[in-house]
Amino acid sequence: MAYKGSLMVTDEELLQGLKKCKKLGALAQVHAENGDAVAEGQIQMIELGITGPEGHGFSRPPILEGEATSRAIRLAGFVNTPLYVVHVMSIEALEEIIRARQSGQRVIGEPVISGLALDDSLLFDPDFDVAAKYVMSPPIRPAGHNIALQNALSSGLLQLVGTDHCAFNSTQKAAGKGDFRKIPNGVNGIEERMHILWNIMVNTGKMTPMGYVRVTSTACAQIFNIYPRKGAIIAGADADIILLNPNTTFTISSKTHHSRIDTNIYEGWTLRGKIETTISRGRIVWENGKLNVSPGSGRFIPLPPYSYLFNGIDKIDSDYLASIRASKQQKK
């Protein structure tokens, strides 16, 4: 619903996409921002002479994320199909998701680790290279939005945690010097997600270790319909397990991370709690800082259609059609 002129879909295209997803038993996922309004906001910032990374956040405020989230939810409700809202970054979007879920609609809200852990203060850093690395969409929001998202995650109002990992190096980000609209949108997060989340949620007492497992593994497997093959430690499941030492401390640095990018939005963060061993299908693949895998050892896991989110959809449809027929008969 964002990126006018390139990726943005119209309401008609969104509606047809939702219908097709329902027919296939696929879970529709949506990037919820009002692309038309964002384009207008960008023009306004340029006219005001705001060309640096801070203009990115100003041009696409939370109200535009909330509006698009509301619109997507209502269209999904009209079609009667489940909806998954990716990278929920604002209170405005969160409130729309909560309202829909309280009404009984099947809506999944996914915050990402950058939105949970950061605020927008570094977008105002006078050093372009520092500020530009925090540019993503929807933007990292002012302080307070991240705390609201954390609270919603801990209480189950949001269901799982993603990364929206889309990393660019400083040379690529430099394309937007003098015009924030040209800064490639995206931040790192794959390598950092599990550790950052443990620190901001479990170490602070906002979430139990079991809750951590739920939002990083079990709920993910259930929503994407591969539970209990994934997301559970039981006989018959894939033996995919991490061993996290809650007492180990380490510091994040672009000099030691495994990404090829030369920056890290969590540069200098010292964390307590580190994954020391990773087991994949019963085999130790990461231990003592060493990767023990060979190319081709991975396996593609297809996601079967019609997850639990589709349970009862056909009954709701039939009851709705019956009510329409009954209303029509009464009016005769």
Side-chain angles (χ1 to χ4, degrees):
M1 299 171 76
Y3 306 118
K4 185 176 182 178
S6 56
L7 302 176
M8 190 183 94
V9 297
T10 64
D11 282 356
E12 180 184 4
E13 289 167 334
L14 177 57
L15 190 62
Q16 293 304 317
L18 291 168
K19 289 172 63 179
K20 187 68 171 181
C21 284
K22 181 180 181 180
K23 183 178 180 180
L24 295 173
L27 178 58
Q29 296 180 286
V30 63
H31 173 147
E33 285 184 289
N34 187 314
D36 287 316
V38 167
E40 178 64 24
Q42 291 173 331
I43 292 171
Q44 288 180 353
M45 292 305 107
I46 297 299
E47 289 177 345
L48 290 170
I50 302 174
T51 60
E54 71 278 11
H56 177 73
F58 287 144
S59 68
R60 46 207 318 144
I63 191 172
L64 300 187
E65 184 184 355
E67 184 280 330
T69 303
S70 171
R71 183 158 36 102
I73 286 171
R74 281 160 173 75
L75 289 177
F78 174 70
V79 174
N80 189 28
T81 195
L83 183 71
Y84 182 115
V85 183
V86 303
H87 49 47
V88 177
M89 298 291 283
S90 68
I91 293 171
E92 284 81 348
L94 169 64
E95 288 175 341
E96 296 296 339
I97 292 166
I98 293 172
R99 187 177 297 113
R101 289 177 61 84
Q102 287 177 337
S103 73
Q105 194 171 342
R106 290 106 187 274
V107 178
I108 300 297
E110 174 218 73
V112 294
I113 199 64
S114 54
L116 290 164
L118 301 170
D119 61 47
D120 70 349
S121 56
L122 286 169
L123 279 170
F124 296 85
D125 193 288
D127 185 332
F128 173 87
D129 289 340
V130 172
K133 70 181 180 181
Y134 294 92
V135 170
M136 64 172 290
S137 292
I140 296 168
R141 301 300 187 184
H145 289 267
N146 55 338
I147 303 304
L149 295 173
Q150 290 176 22
N151 293 339
L153 182 67
S154 67
S155 61
L157 297 173
L158 295 172
Q159 288 69 54
L160 73 169
V161 179
T163 68
D164 195 34
H165 181 95
C166 184
F168 298 93
N169 61 36
S170 58
T171 303
Q172 292 169 309
K173 290 278 190 177
K177 280 187 176 179
D179 187 344
F180 68 84
R181 297 172 297 182
K182 298 178 181 178
I183 301 173
N185 284 205
V187 301
N188 57 284
I190 284 180
E191 186 172 347
E192 298 81 14
R193 178 185 76 126
M194 299 291 280
H195 294 122
I196 295 286
L197 192 68
W198 182 270
N199 272 259
I200 65 174
M201 298 301 292
V202 181
N203 284 348
T204 60
K206 289 187 175 182
M207 181 173 282
T208 66
M210 288 303 294
Y212 174 84
V213 172
R214 173 177 54 82
V215 300
T216 60
S217 181
T218 305
C220 313
Q222 292 169 336
I223 289 166
F224 293 108
N225 209 19
I226 50 174
Y227 181 88
R229 178 176 180 179
K230 304 289 186 182
I233 302 177
I234 58 174
D238 289 350
D240 296 342
I241 302 166
I242 64 166
L243 303 181
L244 187 149
N245 185 334
N247 299 314
T248 300
T249 61
F250 70 104
T251 301
I252 294 176
S253 170
S254 59
K255 293 181 174 62
T256 56
H257 68 199
H258 296 83
S259 172
R260 291 177 180 171
I261 59 171
D262 58 356
T263 63
N264 193 304
I265 61 171
Y266 306 105
E267 186 73 34
W269 283 43
T270 297
L271 307 177
R272 181 168 57 85
K274 186 177 184 181
I275 297 168
E276 297 184 341
T277 303
T278 301
I279 301 169
S280 174
R281 304 200 309 271
R283 182 172 174 269
I284 295 175
V285 296
W286 174 266
E287 192 172 35
N288 299 322
K290 294 182 180 180
L291 184 65
N292 306 305
V293 295
S294 56
S297 62
R299 293 290 179 269
F300 172 72
I301 307 296
L303 305 182
Y306 296 105
S307 73
Y308 76 94
L309 293 165
F310 284 85
N311 293 347
I313 288 284
D314 53 348
K315 181 65 166 64
I316 294 171
D317 284 341
S318 63
D319 287 350
Y320 174 67
L321 292 174
S323 69
I324 291 176
R325 294 190 190 101
S327 178
K328 184 177 178 181
Q329 288 296 326
Q330 289 175 357
K331 292 181 179 180
K332 284 183 177 180

